[in-house]
Amino acid sequence: MKAEIIAVGTELLLGQIVNTNAQYLSQELAALGIDVYFQTVVGDNMDRLQEAIRTAQKRADVLIFTGGLGPTQDDLTKDALAAVLGRSLHLDRLAMDHVEQFFKDRSRPMTENNKRQALSIDGASPLPNSTGLAIGNALSEDGKHYILLPGPPKELMPMFEEQVKNWILQHVLTEEKPLYSRMLKFAGIGESALETELLDLIEGQSDPTLAPYAKESEVTVRVSTKALSVTEAEEKLDALEAQIRARLPENLYANEDVPIEKVIVDLLTEHHLTVAVAESCTGGLLMGNLTAIPGCATVFKGGIVCYSNDMKEKLLNVPHDLLEGEEAPGAVSKETAEVLAEQVRMVMDADFGLSVTGVAGPAYSERKPVGLVYIGLSERGKPTTTFQLNLKGNRETIRLRSAKSILYQLWRRLNERALV
Amino acid sequence: MKAEIIAVGTELLLGQIVNTNAQYLSQELAALGIDVYFQTVVGDNMDRLQEAIRTAQKRADVLIFTGGLGPTQDDLTKDALAAVLGRSLHLDRLAMDHVEQFFKDRSRPMTENNKRQALSIDGASPLPNSTGLAIGNALSEDGKHYILLPGPPKELMPMFEEQVKNWILQHVLTEEKPLYSRMLKFAGIGESALETELLDLIEGQSDPTLAPYAKESEVTVRVSTKALSVTEAEEKLDALEAQIRARLPENLYANEDVPIEKVIVDLLTEHHLTVAVAESCTGGLLMGNLTAIPGCATVFKGGIVCYSNDMKEKLLNVPHDLLEGEEAPGAVSKETAEVLAEQVRMVMDADFGLSVTGVAGPAYSERKPVGLVYIGLSERGKPTTTFQLNLKGNRETIRLRSAKSILYQLWRRLNERALV
């Protein structure tokens, strides 16, 4: 089964965005056992788009399109494929209701061009868009399969996960055994270190297969097996997971595709514990990620972004002579991280207090190097622990890694407790 | 002048890496006024690689290859192109010396396959590799131009910068005018509404050209023109920008590709003003985005994430009877948003105080619907303004839009000030 991914969008050809959709879809298709032979990027141009479709028809069985489903004049994917297949477009009633409701709810007038987002190719299955307006399409003709997905990853990913996978299993991979996959999520370990740890398993693999999975600031492994029943699949996947867990008990934090924040919120809820956060260099990023998890309200008390030294003193009682003066350790120090974690825990009356203080760059501060970060973990009735990080990368990377590091330390602490 | 970028490498088709080279080269070529019409990714397979080359020959004048120049058996780019052009490969003496020296310096034996990295297509200009071993190639035949570059960005980028640009100017762009572009960034308006506003300009466009496209929670328009001089280009782009600005003075916030947070930090810095933030439902997301901007330390005092009512009372003095009781407006209310904005401004002694309180979902709270959000903007010596938002979408979208909305209001306030 050969697939080609066709990304449609002039912004890709101008280099304004990176084609991350191609990577995501390639990984997903590989996991389904479908070989991607070509990835093509074409602009918002009717002739060249049709040309790309005809070229792909000659060399692939499954054509997956991303982008060009939006409301504007240069969103042409459905029109182009319909033209190539000699079909027409029609307005999908349900999708149209969804679009109209969207504008009604915002009491905004719906401009005419938005109807385009509810168009569907005749004979295609409409793929509802749970996170946006433009519907996708899926259809088969003459042994070729066509799947049209929206360009924004936050619309494309759920649509693929919730609908396209099943459609592929039902319409494309008909006589194959169904595929079962499981995501194993790791923290506190780098991708290459993980691969080294699991190298023999990766190389010796046949069934289940094991594939490291590249994700932003996360280390993930996907284990997959084809089986006749869920039970058979679960047994095989459990066995491999147990093997991996035995090697990396302090890093494997979940066996489903959830961020570590989710696992932390669940553990805190389960143990009726609360957390508060004091952030300096991460400036709210950590709390922003934590509060992205539904239900965090019961375990997250709140936090303080004490960006300036004044606020560290005023709101979190950091002693002045700790922050300033020739001999002072300064804001970016083990000592300050410790006080911040303890104080925010007390001010917010939480069971745990987390702190991050460091130099995110691009400029150094306190004559300390970019990437030097101290994180603190305070727990009611226990001595506070701090960790020094020496991070590489740009401001964004350093901030993200700092936030992930203290969350990892909290997870370890909660994990020990769970094991007790 | 039409170009196609052909990335060679099975690791791209497996989704193990993202094709960032395509983005880099597309940006560089656009800057040179060369239109990239297609980007193709093909695996390390001789037949499919030759097929990709023949397809590209039909639709492009400039074929730029990345990857497949290494020492291993599946590095096939030079062999494939040589085969298609009916040429042979020869060992480039200088490149070979470079390879031998490399191993000599490390007193490591040079395995035979490393010679492949010094191979050059007959009649092609060798492109020395200043940061690696595999040389590139550049040649022209029958009005088509072929440029072969290594896959690793740290080898590809310097090679392009130091050698390929000049080669293109001398061999490809003999009388082309260079292209000049400008990004216009908008806030407080949706993509389709923007397009409706500018429809006549978009449809009537010839030079400069105008292309709208949506980035994650941002609306952007790119205006481009080909001109003989920067001055000529600037004049044409200024004229179009002025036209657009006249129509959307309250939405066009920048004429370069920067987030609104950056413009806000710059305006605050310029006017020596400071800001503090109180977040409830956004839980730190707003501050996280604001502090992503380098240099925000001088204008951002800090903030408080008051997730629970206790903390709203304790840290930001929200009256208890405002938050709880039968008749109380509650945490998610105009009144609370107002107090939060004023109090955080005073507690942090800032010029501006921003607040966000609402129901991000998935569960409703205070019997109020998901998506109901109140934002507050307090300014020293001015009455505090609040806005009610009725947002749709998932938790992530609601949180992001809430944060963007209050930032947009702050930008408008600063913009008025700048206009005074």
Side-chain angles (χ1 to χ4, degrees):
Chain A
M1 191 60 60
K2 294 173 289 179
E4 175 156 350
I5 297 165
I6 301 176
V8 185
T10 301
E11 64 273 26
L12 285 161
L13 295 180
L14 290 169
Q16 285 158 351
I17 58 172
V18 187
N19 192 5
T20 52
N21 287 338
Q23 180 184 34
Y24 168 78
L25 290 171
S26 296
Q27 288 175 330
E28 293 295 325
L29 292 168
L32 288 167
I34 297 175
D35 300 315
V36 175
Y37 275 5
F38 293 93
Q39 294 169 359
T40 300
V41 177
V42 57
D44 305 308
N45 173 284
M46 183 55 90
D47 297 340
R48 289 192 287 278
L49 180 47
Q50 291 191 23
E51 183 185 335
I53 295 171
R54 294 201 185 84
T55 305
Q57 284 176 320
K58 296 195 199 85
R59 56 193 190 186
D61 313 303
V62 185
L63 283 66
I64 303 194
F65 301 80
T66 68
L69 306 188
T72 75
Q73 297 302 318
D74 48 351
D75 288 307
L76 299 168
T77 306
K78 283 170 186 168
D79 310 67
L81 181 59
V84 169
L85 299 178
R87 302 193 184 204
S88 311
L89 299 174
H90 65 275
L91 211 56
D92 182 81
R93 193 59 255 164
L94 281 172
M96 196 57 229
D97 295 345
H98 179 50
V99 173
E100 278 162 350
Q101 194 58 45
F102 176 89
F103 286 93
K104 198 131 137 268
D105 294 341
R106 287 159 184 70
S107 43
R108 267 165 48 190
M110 188 201 76
T111 50
E112 193 61 17
N113 54 0
N114 279 289
K115 286 188 179 172
R116 294 182 51 74
Q117 305 195 78
L119 287 176
S120 189
I121 296 174
D122 292 355
S125 324
L127 305 172
N129 187 331
S130 59
T131 53
L133 291 182
I135 54 164
N137 266 183
L139 68 144
S140 304
E141 180 179 295
D142 305 335
K144 303 280 179 191
H145 308 280
Y146 306 86
I147 299 166
L148 285 66
L149 303 172
K154 79 175 199 349
E155 298 179 26
L156 175 140
M157 291 181 183
M159 193 180 285
F160 189 92
E161 194 54 41
E162 296 157 16
Q163 303 177 73
V164 176
K165 263 188 193 172
N166 278 331
W167 192 89
I168 288 176
L169 291 171
Q170 285 161 23
H171 297 79
V172 182
L173 302 173
T174 38
E175 57 290 310
E176 305 225 1
K177 275 199 235 167
L179 182 98
Y180 300 87
S181 306
R182 187 180 295 179
M183 298 287 245
L184 303 181
K185 305 294 299 280
F186 299 83
I189 184 170
E191 191 168 6
S192 53
L194 179 84
E195 282 189 49
T196 314
E197 286 289 340
L198 306 179
L199 198 57
D200 57 322
L201 297 177
I202 295 168
E203 286 176 346
Q205 66 179 294
S206 57
D207 175 38
T209 58
L210 185 157
Y213 203 74
K215 267 197 167 188
E216 183 62 32
S217 81
E218 289 184 349
V219 177
T220 307
V221 162
R222 172 178 219 143
V223 288
S224 312
T225 185
K226 290 184 175 172
L228 288 167
S229 71
V230 183
T231 336
E232 181 197 342
E234 292 296 323
E235 276 170 13
K236 287 198 275 181
L237 296 179
D238 289 345
L240 181 55
E241 180 184 330
Q243 237 184 320
I244 296 169
R245 192 180 293 277
R247 292 186 190 192
L248 301 158
E250 299 214 316
N251 302 101
L252 176 53
Y253 73 80
N255 61 4
E256 59 182 320
D257 190 9
V258 292
I260 195 163
E261 290 86 349
K262 171 75 167 67
V263 178
I264 287 171
V265 167
D266 291 347
L267 283 168
L268 289 170
T269 310
E270 180 188 334
H271 297 286
H272 307 289
L273 296 166
T274 58
V275 63
V277 177
E279 300 188 56
S280 184
C281 65
T282 44
L285 180 68
L286 197 170
M287 290 186 268
N289 291 346
L290 195 61
T291 55
I293 309 300
C296 66
T298 52
V299 299
F300 176 59
K301 286 272 194 153
I304 291 173
V305 176
C306 44
Y307 221 58
S308 62
N309 280 356
D310 308 1
M311 292 306 135
K312 289 184 182 72
E313 285 184 49
K314 182 175 173 185
L315 297 172
L316 290 168
N317 318 310
V318 181
H320 182 79
D321 55 14
L322 203 61
L323 296 169
E324 278 152 39
E326 260 320 302
E327 299 306 303
V332 179
S333 67
K334 178 185 186 309
E335 293 79 355
T336 300
E338 191 170 334
V339 178
L340 290 175
E342 282 167 4
Q343 287 294 317
V344 81
R345 181 178 61 73
M346 288 191 274
V347 169
M348 303 261 170
D349 184 31
D351 300 297
F352 291 99
L354 310 181
S355 70
V356 188
T357 179
V359 187
Y364 62 84
S365 80
E366 295 183 340
R367 301 190 301 284
K368 285 163 183 160
V370 171
L372 176 67
V373 178
Y374 292 90
I375 57 178
L377 171 59
S378 166
E379 179 174 356
R380 201 190 293 272
K382 295 232 174 102
T384 298
T385 34
T386 59
F387 305 83
Q388 177 182 326
L389 311 174
N390 302 86
L391 301 169
K392 294 269 166 288
N394 59 18
R395 181 179 177 88
E396 189 189 348
T397 313
I398 289 169
R399 282 158 42 91
L400 196 57
R401 298 229 168 113
S402 305
K404 288 282 180 191
S405 298
I406 186 60
L407 287 169
Y408 170 60
Q409 293 304 335
L410 175 58
W411 171 75
R412 280 182 67 189
R413 186 69 66 91
L414 291 165
N415 199 36
E416 289 162 16
R417 190 185 277 257
L419 297 177
V420 171
Chain B
M1 189 62 57
K2 294 173 289 178
E4 177 157 348
I5 296 166
I6 302 175
V8 186
T10 301
E11 65 276 23
L12 285 160
L13 295 181
L14 290 171
Q16 286 162 351
I17 58 172
V18 185
N19 192 3
T20 52
N21 287 337
Q23 180 184 35
Y24 168 78
L25 291 170
S26 295
Q27 287 172 333
E28 293 296 320
L29 292 167
L32 288 165
I34 296 176
D35 302 313
V36 176
Y37 275 4
F38 294 93
Q39 294 170 359
T40 301
V41 177
V42 57
D44 304 309
N45 172 285
M46 183 56 88
D47 298 339
R48 289 193 288 278
L49 180 48
Q50 290 191 24
E51 183 186 335
I53 295 170
R54 292 199 187 84
T55 305
Q57 283 176 320
K58 296 195 200 86
R59 56 194 192 185
D61 313 303
V62 185
L63 284 65
I64 303 194
F65 301 80
T66 68
L69 306 188
T72 75
Q73 287 312 309
D74 48 351
D75 289 306
L76 298 167
T77 307
K78 284 170 186 168
D79 312 70
L81 181 59
V84 169
L85 299 178
R87 302 193 183 205
S88 312
L89 299 173
H90 65 274
L91 209 56
D92 182 81
R93 192 60 253 163
L94 282 171
M96 197 56 231
D97 296 345
H98 180 49
V99 173
E100 281 164 348
Q101 193 59 45
F102 176 88
F103 286 94
K104 197 128 140 267
D105 294 343
R106 288 156 183 72
S107 44
R108 272 165 45 193
M110 187 200 79
T111 53
E112 192 62 15
N113 58 357
N114 279 288
K115 285 186 179 173
R116 294 180 52 76
Q117 305 195 79
L119 287 175
S120 190
I121 297 174
D122 292 356
S125 322
L127 305 171
N129 188 332
S130 58
T131 53
L133 291 183
I135 57 164
N137 265 183
L139 70 146
S140 305
E141 179 180 297
D142 304 336
K144 303 282 180 190
H145 308 280
Y146 306 87
I147 300 166
L148 286 66
L149 302 172
K154 74 169 194 13
E155 297 180 27
L156 175 139
M157 291 182 184
M159 192 180 284
F160 189 92
E161 195 53 42
E162 295 156 16
Q163 304 176 72
V164 177
K165 263 187 192 171
N166 278 331
W167 191 89
I168 287 175
L169 290 171
Q170 285 161 23
H171 299 79
V172 182
L173 296 177
T174 36
E175 66 280 337
E176 280 268 339
K177 284 195 216 167
L179 181 93
Y180 300 86
S181 309
R182 188 179 295 178
M183 303 283 263
L184 304 181
K185 302 295 299 282
F186 299 84
I189 184 169
E191 184 189 7
S192 54
L194 178 84
E195 200 203 342
T196 312
E197 284 289 335
L198 305 179
L199 198 56
D200 57 322
L201 296 177
I202 294 165
E203 288 176 343
Q205 68 179 298
S206 58
D207 174 40
T209 58
L210 186 156
Y213 68 93
K215 276 189 177 183
E216 187 69 24
S217 78
E218 289 184 350
V219 177
T220 308
V221 163
R222 186 178 205 263
V223 290
S224 314
T225 185
K226 289 186 177 180
L228 287 167
S229 70
V230 182
T231 332
E232 184 197 339
E234 293 296 322
E235 277 169 11
K236 288 199 273 182
L237 296 179
D238 289 346
L240 180 55
E241 180 184 329
Q243 239 184 317
I244 296 169
R245 191 180 295 275
R247 294 187 188 191
L248 300 157
E250 299 211 319
N251 303 101
L252 176 52
Y253 74 81
N255 60 4
E256 57 182 319
D257 191 7
V258 292
I260 196 163
E261 289 86 350
K262 171 76 166 66
V263 177
I264 287 170
V265 167
D266 291 347
L267 283 167
L268 289 170
T269 309
E270 179 188 337
H271 297 287
H272 308 290
L273 296 166
T274 58
V275 63
V277 178
E279 300 188 54
S280 184
C281 65
T282 45
L285 180 68
L286 196 170
M287 291 187 267
N289 291 345
L290 196 61
T291 55
I293 308 300
C296 66
T298 52
V299 299
F300 176 58
K301 286 271 195 152
I304 290 172
V305 176
C306 44
Y307 222 60
S308 63
N309 281 354
D310 308 2
M311 290 306 137
K312 289 183 181 72
E313 284 185 51
K314 181 174 175 186
L315 296 173
L316 290 168
N317 318 311
V318 181
H320 182 78
D321 54 16
L322 203 60
L323 296 170
E324 279 152 38
E326 260 319 304
E327 299 306 303
V332 178
S333 66
K334 179 185 185 309
E335 293 79 355
T336 300
E338 191 171 332
V339 178
L340 289 175
E342 282 168 5
Q343 287 294 317
V344 79
R345 181 178 62 72
M346 287 191 274
V347 169
M348 302 262 169
D349 185 32
D351 300 297
F352 291 99
L354 310 180
S355 70
V356 189
T357 179
V359 187
Y364 64 83
S365 77
E366 296 183 340
R367 300 191 303 285
K368 285 164 183 160
V370 171
L372 175 66
V373 177
Y374 292 90
I375 57 177
L377 170 58
S378 166
E379 179 174 357
R380 202 191 291 274
K382 296 233 175 102
T384 297
T385 33
T386 59
F387 305 83
Q388 177 182 325
L389 311 174
N390 301 289
L391 301 169
K392 284 283 166 291
N394 59 17
R395 182 178 176 88
E396 186 192 351
T397 312
I398 290 168
R399 282 156 44 89
L400 194 58
R401 298 236 165 104
S402 305
K404 286 284 179 190
S405 299
I406 185 60
L407 287 169
Y408 171 60
Q409 294 304 335
L410 176 59
W411 171 76
R412 281 182 67 190
R413 185 69 65 90
L414 291 165
N415 199 36
E416 287 161 18
R417 189 186 277 257
L419 297 176
V420 171

